[in-house]
């Protein structure tokens, strides 16, 4: 009995310590357009408080983040999504226009208040139109809570937020994507590391045969490279997140191996790599040890994977103390694996397992939803569709329309759970036509859901693209990948033993990807391809669960669409 | 007594006939961006139902216009202002964001329903951010009601909507204007007539010494000129309206005199001109007679006035039957008067008098507001200010915040009615600093208000610009113009006998302009410089009157700002 009391007392004290250690971190942010030169060419970028990328948020697990976001744009609404944060109890703070809230109008302020419950590498970004592509993003790093320890050791850390950059304005890109004939945005001009890239020069030009100039930096240019200053014989944590609009990336550090330890804010069983793939929406932590010749510097290179690259590698410099940062590495930058070497990509993905002791998935699913990914046409417009429905978001946020049963706000029919048995995923669609829709998969509260993402051939023959799918409001267990059409037999291939928890899962060309999650987070949660133009073209679905438990949606989140029409204010008329 | 009954009966019948003759005209419009080539260069333009300029509305006096406007933009709100329509009884349909309504959110539909009570030449345009500059405009022509007659004869008519066009996107223009250091938008690349202009060629190149190419058109290009096909020896009405973002214009028809008969939807005493000035926000009707050699064609030319022109003349062709439209005029286009020949401009303005029988102004004013127009700096940002206050619109529309006494929605202090006696309007401001504000001039209902617009020197020495001021919700009597600072003595110079009714009044460099109106239209009405970047930089004021008589504001008009926060919908929570 005495021992029980002692244990109880210790438990209580721990809770109290955690409660006292955690705090609310307040921020006042203003979103506006400004001039910048992310890749040495002047362009309008979307910034926060005059910064591009936006300010890095640093917090501890258990903290509450309170951001008063003021929209200083002239005619555009804005929202910010906190990518990887599950928004437990605050689904209205997920920052998805038409889903968790109305876009914040110009001149208005919205309070994002949410808890960061789990240490990890996260980021935030715009989730309205293609504002992420315009530069609305930044890093969100959550450290372990006081008294907690990471399951690995490191002496210092760096943070790299990766993105891609176009010289055509996002507004013009949007018009092209929504036009008949369709105009594709093309490959990015530049890859950015922490908002910095080089367009009209390369730091490694002297190694190449191309006519591109060697970069010369004074060091204070906005496009000057990120320098990672390290001491010899130390271990560093490199946090990497990709908020690219399109590009799948591969990162390598010249002469240094990396040990992957975290993926999407979840610890993984450490494994060594020479280079690593990062898809849009993913984040990783890797450890590397500065065990190389300290009289030299080393490249960190980021190149394009999964699409024939027309964009040069982005480069940063790993600068060993006491070597000068301006001394360029003596060997050429690491070569990015061939863009279509998918075996290399799959090999990387298949090495990722949950760290021992991580939560395990329920043994069986209660509902299985199979989602066929196809490229389609609707009235001559080019779209992406899921089970033949291309998502067009409604004017009224689902969180309001479901909560208040506004049945005309969106398609009440549940979208299909599967696709036709005889669909040939290896060939272009026989009938390329699809329809638009905005129906919702209503998930039973606490149901265990399996989703099978099924890739297929696009509109052109012999084309099947990579799509990184991101789920809001949850981590899911990444059960496995396979080739061709998913079949009953494939069930055996699923990893139920130590699948990693992720929030983003890639589908490989002509393949399938299986994941499992528990619908235990009351709210409305999009699940979508994280490629910005693909989402714009309809590549997503919407899940909703436990809406009856959603409480205290701020009025400001619902002042649009049908939820904006039923106002008290007219009483005074 | 019998005669009285007969007269009464006739009057009643007339009313009934008018009531039956008038009707509601329904439109369904979608606003979206699209690709276009207004001046032969491809660019994104804002269009309505796939058209740029937007569709022309044609109605009869007494008709009701009902436009269901759907916002198909991806991230921007939108409103449309019906320029020159007084919105008697429907102040919520004036289409001014932050003033008469909340901007319509993407995906939402707003019903503009209003009466066009008075025949005349009007137009419509965006009134949110700088969306007018992006191409959101079109014509609104109101014919006389059934059984009514215009006070002049004509055999046919044409409509020319004039605008100016930039190759820099409006979004980028906005960022430049709001930046420190300030970046001016510069002069337009092209002048457009009905959305058509030529950038990389001129139809009259063979007359000039410049290196510009001669245009060659097949005739179906979007930038091919407007052709006005006329029969010999007829009289035509030419309706002209200017929705330019910046340029003051001058129009002339080669070899043809014009008779001005209408200004801003009000009849004027007819007078002859060879050329005419048109400021942004103005509209005119002129008559011309096809009494020239019918074996030739003639130029219609439009050039820039009031700013040193860097933009070539816009040209259209007056095509006499049976001459081929492709036969170019044999003489060079009419020369636009020198840009700074202000005497020429004043001479034109001073010829405009009300048609006999038009409503006369009250003999005296009850309130006089003097508005000093200055260019200023605020924290290093370049602005325009009125009595030292630069207008920044609030997030909550005034029509709601005044009606429902939401006192935190805008500055409750009334803006100044005058400026310092010792201010030297001939010199740059001694102290260029001003402040931002959004206070309202609350006008007593049915008060007769005089406004004296006082021009001054801008920030640079020896610079004073033209500003065309446009009043919403009213026509005003244009009482007179004068030089230098308005003084008590100038009262004698005012025309109270036959001043024309207008909705737009220009102020000339270093001069003043006096106007009078009766505050008899319940609503909130901006009065502002119609130059788009000047308004964006704060050059405007807000009047409010008779708000207690405003009824039935649609809920959709108030679903933003503070009026959007007090919602019924939370009751279900």
């Amino acid at each position: 009995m005495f021992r029980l009391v002692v244990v109880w007392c210790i438990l209580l004290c721990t809770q109290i310590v955690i409660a006292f250690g955690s705090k609310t971190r307040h921020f006042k942010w203003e979103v506006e357009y400004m001039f910048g030169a992310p890749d040495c060419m002047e362009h309008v970028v979307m910034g926060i408080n005059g910064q591009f990328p936006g300010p890095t948020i640093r917090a501890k697990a258990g903290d509450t983040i309170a951001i008063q976001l003021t929209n200083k744009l002239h005619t555009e609404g804005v929202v910010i999504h906190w990518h990887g944060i599950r928004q437990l109890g605050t689904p209205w703070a997920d920052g998805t226009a038409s889903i968790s809230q109305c876009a914040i109008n110009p001149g208005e302020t919205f309070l994002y208040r949410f808890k960061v419950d789990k240490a990890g590498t996260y980021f935030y970004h715009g989730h309205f139109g293609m504002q992420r592509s315009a530069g609305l993003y930044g890093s969100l790093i959550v450290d372990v809570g006081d008294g907690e320890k990471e399951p690995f050791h490191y002496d210092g850390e760096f943070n790299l937020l990766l993105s891609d950059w176009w010289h055509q304005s996002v507004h013009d890109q949007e018009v092209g994507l929504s036009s008949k004939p369709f105009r594709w945005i093309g490959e990015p001009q530049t890859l950015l590391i922490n908002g910095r890239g080089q367009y009209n020069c390369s730091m490694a030009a002297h190694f190449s045969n191309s006519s591109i100039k060697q970069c010369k930096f004074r060091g204070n240019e906005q496009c000057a490279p990120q320098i990672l200053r390290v001491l010899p014989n130390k271990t560093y944590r490199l946090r990497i997140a990709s908020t690219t609009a399109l590009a799948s990336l591969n990162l390598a550090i010249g002469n240094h191996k990396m040990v992957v330890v975290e993926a999407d804010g979840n610890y993984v069983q450490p494994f060594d790599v020479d280079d690593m793939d990062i898809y849009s929406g993913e984040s990783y932590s890797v450890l590397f040890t500065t065990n190389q010749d300290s009289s030299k510097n080393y490249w960190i290179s980021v190149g394009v994977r999964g699409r024939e690259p027309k964009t040069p590698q982005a480069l940063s410099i790993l600068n060993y103390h006491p070597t000068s940062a301006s001394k360029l590495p003596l060997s050429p930058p690491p070569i990015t694996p061939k863009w279509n070497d998918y075996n290399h990509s799959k090999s990387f993905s298949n090495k990722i397992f949950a760290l021992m002791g991580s939560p395990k998935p329920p043994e069986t699913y209660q509902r299985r939803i199979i989602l066929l990914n196809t490229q389609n046409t609707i009235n001559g417009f080019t779209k992406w569709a899921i089970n033949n429905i291309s998502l067009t978001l409604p004017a009224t946020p689902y969180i309001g329309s479901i909560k208040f049963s506004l049945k005309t706000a969106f398609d009440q029919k549940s979208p299909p759970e599967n696709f036709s048995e005889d669909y040939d995923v290896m060939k272009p669609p026989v009938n390329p036509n699809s329809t638009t829709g905005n129906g919702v998969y209503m998930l039973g509260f606490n149901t265990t859901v399996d989703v099978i993402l099924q890739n297929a051939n696009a509109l052109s023959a012999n084309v099947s693209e990579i799509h990184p799918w991101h789920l809001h409001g949850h981590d899911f267990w990444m059960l496995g990948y396979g080739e061709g059409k998913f079949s009953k037999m494939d069930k055996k291939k699923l990893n139920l033993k130590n699948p990693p928890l992720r929030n983003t899962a890639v589908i490989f060309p002509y393949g399938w990807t299986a994941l499992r999650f528990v619908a235990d987070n009351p709210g409305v949660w999009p699940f979508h391809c994280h490629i910005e133009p693909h989402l714009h073209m309809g590549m997503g679905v919407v899940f909703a669960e436990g809406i009856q438990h959603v409480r205290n949606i701020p009025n400001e989140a619902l002042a649009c669409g049908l939820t904006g029409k039923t106002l008290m204010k007219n009483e005074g008329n």
Side-chain angles (χ1 to χ4, degrees), chain A:
Chain A
M1 180 64 195
F2 175 73
R3 278 172 67 184
L4 205 69
V5 169
V6 169
V7 167
W8 180 85
C9 214
I10 288 168
L11 277 173
L12 184 71
C13 289
T14 313
Q15 289 301 313
I16 288 167
V17 166
I18 289 172
F20 272 86
S22 68
K23 62 177 192 180
T24 300
R25 295 175 193 268
H26 294 273
F27 302 90
K28 279 195 177 181
W29 282 5
E30 293 185 347
V31 176
E32 63 189 326
Y33 284 109
M34 60 188 205
F35 291 108
D39 67 350
C40 311
M41 302 269 286
E42 193 183 71
H43 206 280
V44 164
V45 301
M46 206 172 251
I48 296 173
N49 292 354
Q51 297 177 35
F52 163 78
T56 294
I57 296 177
R58 191 104 204 184
K60 284 184 184 162
D63 284 353
T64 295
I65 306 289
I67 294 171
Q68 279 192 288
L69 189 79
T70 299
N71 179 357
K72 301 285 268 186
L73 307 174
H74 296 295
T75 52
E76 290 180 61
V78 79
V79 292
I80 291 187
H81 168 58
W82 317 93
H83 186 109
I85 306 301
R86 288 172 296 170
Q87 302 291 351
L88 302 170
T90 54
W92 47 265
D94 193 44
T96 50
S98 290
I99 301 168
S100 66
Q101 69 172 114
C102 299
I104 306 161
N105 293 316
E108 296 196 44
T109 300
F110 184 82
L111 176 63
Y112 285 104
R113 194 183 166 89
F114 56 88
K115 206 163 196 172
V116 288
D117 62 313
K118 192 157 58 75
T121 304
Y122 306 102
F123 57 104
Y124 61 82
H125 59 78
H127 213 294
F128 188 34
M130 287 172 59
Q131 291 180 343
R132 175 160 60 95
S133 295
L136 185 54
Y137 45 74
S139 294
L140 198 177
I141 311 287
V142 182
D143 291 304
V144 290
D146 287 332
E148 304 277 315
K149 277 178 78 174
E150 301 275 11
F152 41 81
H153 163 80
Y154 52 99
D155 302 300
E157 67 165 81
F158 299 98
N159 178 44
L160 302 184
L161 183 60
L162 310 180
S163 57
D164 43 9
W165 189 247
W166 278 254
H167 292 164
Q168 188 185 34
S169 84
V170 166
H171 297 104
D172 288 12
Q173 289 180 37
E174 273 180 339
V175 180
L177 293 172
S178 314
S179 286
K180 193 163 56 173
F182 178 68
R183 299 196 197 184
W184 177 239
I185 61 168
E187 299 303 312
Q189 271 67 61
T190 312
L191 301 180
L192 306 180
I193 300 177
N194 289 346
R196 295 156 177 270
Q198 296 82 40
Y199 175 67
N200 49 8
C201 70
S202 166
M203 290 192 294
H206 57 292
F207 290 113
S208 81
N209 299 323
S210 78
S211 60
I212 195 163
K213 281 188 307 186
Q214 183 70 29
C215 295
K216 289 204 171 71
F217 293 110
R218 291 190 308 278
N220 57 354
E221 292 89 350
Q222 197 189 333
C223 62
Q226 190 77 29
I227 307 285
L228 279 58
R229 294 172 208 276
V230 293
L231 298 173
N233 299 309
K234 300 281 182 190
T235 296
Y236 290 91
R237 178 181 191 166
L238 189 58
R239 296 176 183 271
I240 310 158
S242 171
T243 182
T244 55
L246 174 63
S248 300
L249 300 175
N250 180 277
L251 180 141
I253 312 176
N255 291 47
H256 291 73
K257 280 202 177 295
M258 300 178 282
V259 182
V260 181
V261 293
E262 182 217 341
D264 298 356
N266 293 289
Y267 298 122
V268 299
Q269 201 64 43
F271 64 100
D272 289 7
V273 287
D274 290 312
D275 64 87
M276 57 185 298
D277 283 349
I278 308 142
Y279 302 98
S280 179
E282 291 189 333
S283 65
Y284 288 100
S285 285
V286 299
L287 305 178
F288 66 93
T289 301
T290 50
N291 53 9
Q292 297 296 304
D293 181 352
S294 68
S295 70
K296 293 183 186 166
N297 291 327
Y298 301 87
W299 296 113
I300 297 173
S301 73
V302 176
V304 172
R305 299 272 283 134
R307 303 179 68 90
E308 196 162 358
K310 293 181 182 143
T311 314
Q313 281 183 333
L315 297 172
S316 280
I317 287 174
L318 186 67
N319 169 225
Y320 267 64
H321 184 79
T323 305
S324 161
S326 60
K327 184 178 175 183
L328 290 180
L330 298 177
S331 354
I335 293 166
T336 304
K338 201 160 175 301
W339 71 273
N340 56 357
D341 180 359
Y342 293 114
N343 285 334
H344 189 92
S345 305
K346 290 171 191 170
S347 156
F348 177 77
S349 295
N350 283 318
K351 283 182 194 161
I352 305 174
F353 298 106
L355 186 65
M356 216 181 299
S358 300
K360 293 200 175 192
E363 278 173 27
T364 53
Y365 63 84
Q366 295 166 291
R367 181 169 175 184
R368 190 170 71 183
I369 300 170
I370 303 180
L371 300 176
L372 176 69
N373 290 228
T374 53
Q375 199 179 25
N376 299 79
T377 55
I378 300 180
N379 302 326
F381 293 97
T382 304
K383 298 281 181 187
W384 288 92
I386 306 307
N387 291 347
N388 222 36
I389 296 177
S390 184
L391 181 65
T392 53
L393 292 171
T396 310
Y398 290 109
I399 200 168
S401 54
I402 299 176
K403 173 94 188 160
F404 302 114
S405 302
L406 306 173
K407 292 189 193 301
T408 59
F410 64 95
D411 300 343
Q412 295 296 301
K413 201 182 154 207
S414 187
E417 309 264 313
N418 208 333
F419 60 96
S420 166
E421 282 268 333
D422 59 1
Y423 191 93
D424 186 348
V425 300
M426 306 305 286
K427 300 228 175 91
V430 178
N431 173 7
N433 292 323
S434 73
T435 54
T436 56
N438 54 28
V440 173
Y441 291 94
M442 300 287 183
L443 307 179
F445 191 45
N446 288 322
T447 305
T448 299
V449 179
D450 272 18
V451 174
I452 313 292
L453 287 161
Q454 177 65 57
N455 211 340
N457 197 103
L459 284 170
S460 306
N462 302 313
V463 174
S464 183
E465 297 186 19
I466 277 186
H467 302 285
W469 278 76
H470 171 63
L471 178 60
H472 291 231
H474 304 80
D475 288 329
F476 52 74
W477 288 278
M478 184 51 247
L479 301 186
Y481 308 92
E483 310 287 326
K485 201 193 284 190
F486 181 82
S487 77
K488 282 178 189 167
M489 304 299 289
D490 288 321
K491 202 181 160 184
K492 294 175 200 160
K493 297 179 190 161
L494 305 183
N495 171 17
L496 298 175
K497 210 183 92 202
N498 58 355
L501 280 165
R502 304 293 303 259
N503 59 54
T504 302
V506 71
I507 50 171
F508 293 108
Y510 299 110
W512 56 261
T513 293
L515 50 94
R516 180 169 295 177
F517 68 96
V518 180
D520 56 2
N521 189 8
V524 187
W525 309 110
F527 179 47
H528 61 88
C529 177
H530 208 259
I531 292 176
E532 187 90 319
H534 287 184
L535 173 57
H536 194 76
M537 292 159 74
M539 200 168 202
V541 297
V542 177
F543 295 139
E545 68 214 40
I547 301 294
Q548 67 275 23
H549 302 298
V550 174
R551 293 262 181 276
N552 304 322
I553 308 171
N555 284 343
E556 300 91 303
L558 300 178
C560 67
L562 295 180
T563 46
K565 285 187 183 178
T566 52
L567 307 182
M568 241 172 154
K569 61 201 167 205
N570 239 29
E571 286 189 343
N573 260 3

